[in-house]
Amino acid sequence: MQFIWFIGLKLSHWLPVIHFIRTILFQTQLNLTSFNLLIDSAEKALYFLHLRLERMVSSMATLLCIAALIAGSYSSSVAAESKGSFEDNFSIMWSEDHFKTSEDGQIWYLSLDKETGCGFQTKQRYRFGWFSMKLKLVEGDSAGVVTAYYMCTENGAGPTRDELDFEFLGNRSGQPFLIQTNVYKNGTGGREMRHMLWFDPTEDFHTYSLLWNNHQIVFFVDGVPLRVFKNNGEENNFFPNEKPMYLFSSIWNADDWATRGGLEKTDWKKAPFVSSYKDFSVDGCQWEDPFPKCVSTTTNNWWDQYEAWHLSDSQKTDYAWVQRNLVIYDYCKDTERYPTLLAECSLSPWD
């Protein structure tokens, strides 16, 4: 019975423990690489487990099988994630002199000063999958500064681009930390949502992830579903599912809008502003011209199986908590901006 109780815990119950252990290891200056690989694998294993538990009987034999699968997931995940370096996965987009790495090459730093910011992008394109990165945001007074972590079909704001955005809006010290998400299809965005974060994202690394398949796009923070964007299963003008995307991150000045609608300006005396990154992880369909076999729905990959088309029961509980406590702005509820309800706004994230 203790084993059943252990694996039945919600992922959110484990997050404080994970972050506490990370903090202790950091303060004692231990090597975090192996530990982070273990944690990433545990988070993935718990995610898979939550998706499966609702559909499985709770016999001990079945649970032991699940435990074996978790162990296998850990071994394969470590092997996959331990291979790639920054140079293997990414290219610098601009201002290479504003990019640095830690001595062991495991942490990457982008800096912004009055002259310029910096950014990087994956060398490969993907269509559907799971994409994850750990970020630590600019410390102190970061008003006007935006750290962007996003997927896009091209390097630039092209008129027909598809895009999935995490944007971390800088803040004046002591103010709430806000995260903005947005979805573009064929160059049309305007689908912003803003949430408060329930932690200080400048004190430690936190995990920001995207699940993207033909049925839904889910924005996760530390394994908690922050936003769910559904497809209606028909040809439409709102759900990006036709074009492969690169993954990007950048830091740049946006003090004309980012903090309190542009009222708070960037204090350049506090420059350089530095954002930190590590532990990029991707389990997705890598694009190969003319197109890879895995772009169609084959259910061969976990992120394209039935359980990944919907939130699990435990994820719905977390998502309901987010909806009650953290939503600052939802374009679907902005009747002044959109007097007529947009088609995607009628789709239920609970289905």
Side-chain angles (χ1 to χ4, degrees):
M1 293 301 294
Q2 289 180 340
F3 179 70
I4 295 173
W5 170 83
F6 173 80
I7 67 168
L9 287 175
K10 292 172 63 222
L11 178 60
S12 57
H13 294 161
W14 289 101
L15 296 178
V17 178
I18 290 169
H19 297 318
F20 174 75
I21 297 174
R22 276 198 177 115
T23 301
I24 295 300
L25 289 173
F26 180 80
Q27 290 175 347
T28 55
Q29 298 183 345
L30 295 178
N31 188 331
L32 297 181
T33 302
S34 298
F35 178 76
N36 279 326
L37 289 173
L38 174 61
I39 290 302
D40 288 346
S41 300
E43 288 175 349
K44 283 184 179 178
L46 285 169
Y47 176 80
F48 292 136
L49 189 57
H50 289 138
L51 292 179
R52 300 281 186 185
L53 275 177
E54 287 93 7
R55 306 182 68 197
M56 290 184 175
V57 296
S58 58
S59 68
M60 183 57 70
T62 303
L63 294 175
L64 290 174
C65 289
I66 296 173
L69 289 173
I70 293 173
S73 172
Y74 166 69
S75 299
S76 61
S77 177
V78 170
E81 293 181 8
S82 60
K83 292 180 181 178
S85 64
F86 182 88
E87 290 76 13
D88 293 329
N89 291 303
F90 297 101
S91 300
I92 304 297
M93 291 190 292
W94 82 94
S95 301
E96 191 167 348
D97 60 338
H98 284 56
F99 172 82
K100 295 181 180 179
T101 68
S102 59
E103 289 186 5
D104 61 4
Q106 298 302 308
I107 303 176
W108 322 314
Y109 307 99
L110 299 185
S111 65
L112 167 70
D113 56 28
K114 200 167 186 177
E115 298 300 320
T116 186
C118 186
F120 59 79
Q121 71 174 76
T122 54
K123 295 178 179 179
Q124 304 295 336
R125 294 178 296 165
Y126 303 90
R127 184 180 172 203
F128 304 144
W130 171 267
F131 309 88
S132 189
M133 182 98 78
K134 290 183 173 66
L135 280 72
K136 182 180 178 184
L137 301 187
V138 176
E139 297 180 3
D141 186 342
S142 60
V145 177
V146 169
T147 300
Y149 167 57
Y150 61 103
M151 298 187 71
C152 190
T153 52
E154 58 187 81
N155 180 0
T160 61
R161 74 189 187 279
D162 289 355
E163 189 172 325
L164 308 174
D165 290 341
F166 278 110
E167 291 179 320
F168 306 91
L169 308 182
N171 79 321
R172 198 106 277 164
S173 297
Q175 298 299 314
F177 291 93
L178 300 183
I179 182 171
Q180 176 170 287
T181 56
N182 203 351
V183 177
Y184 286 76
K185 181 170 183 178
N186 292 328
T188 300
R191 302 181 177 95
E192 300 93 344
M193 287 192 71
R194 289 189 180 186
H195 295 78
M196 289 190 300
L197 292 172
W198 60 97
F199 52 82
D200 184 342
T202 71
E203 290 184 346
D204 200 355
F205 286 91
H206 292 268
T207 304
Y208 304 90
S209 310
L210 280 166
L211 172 65
W212 176 32
N213 55 48
N214 201 38
H215 301 267
Q216 66 175 358
I217 298 163
V218 185
F219 296 78
F220 288 91
V221 178
D222 285 340
V224 175
L226 195 74
R227 178 177 183 179
V228 180
F229 192 80
K230 303 291 283 190
N231 196 3
N232 63 1
E234 304 172 359
E235 186 174 338
N236 59 61
N237 62 358
F238 61 83
F239 193 92
N241 60 350
E242 300 167 355
K243 306 172 187 175
M245 301 193 202
Y246 298 97
L247 188 139
F248 299 82
S249 193
S250 59
I251 185 170
W252 46 288
N253 179 46
D255 65 3
D256 57 333
W257 66 269
T259 307
R260 295 185 59 216
L263 296 177
E264 302 283 358
K265 299 300 182 181
T266 304
D267 184 354
W268 294 110
K269 292 182 292 185
K270 294 182 170 59
F273 303 98
V274 179
S275 56
S276 308
Y277 307 79
K278 65 178 181 177
D279 297 347
F280 171 65
S281 175
V282 56
D283 184 355
C285 179
Q286 184 172 311
W287 187 264
E288 298 174 359
D289 290 325
F291 58 86
K293 295 179 180 178
C294 54
V295 297
S296 60
T297 300
T298 62
T299 69
N300 290 333
N301 302 284
W302 73 265
W303 38 262
D304 199 21
Q305 294 174 0
Y306 179 82
E307 291 90 342
W309 301 350
H310 321 271
L311 295 182
S312 68
D313 286 347
S314 60
Q315 289 172 341
K316 288 178 180 179
T317 300
D318 288 339
Y319 182 68
W321 176 80
V322 168
Q323 291 293 101
R324 291 193 306 269
N325 296 285
L326 302 180
V327 178
I328 299 297
Y329 175 80
D330 183 347
Y331 77 105
C332 283
K333 298 179 180 178
D334 189 343
T335 55
E336 291 187 10
R337 185 180 180 192
Y338 298 108
T340 302
L341 188 69
L342 299 177
E344 67 269 23
C345 295
S346 64
L347 303 175
S348 172
W350 308 101
D351 294 338

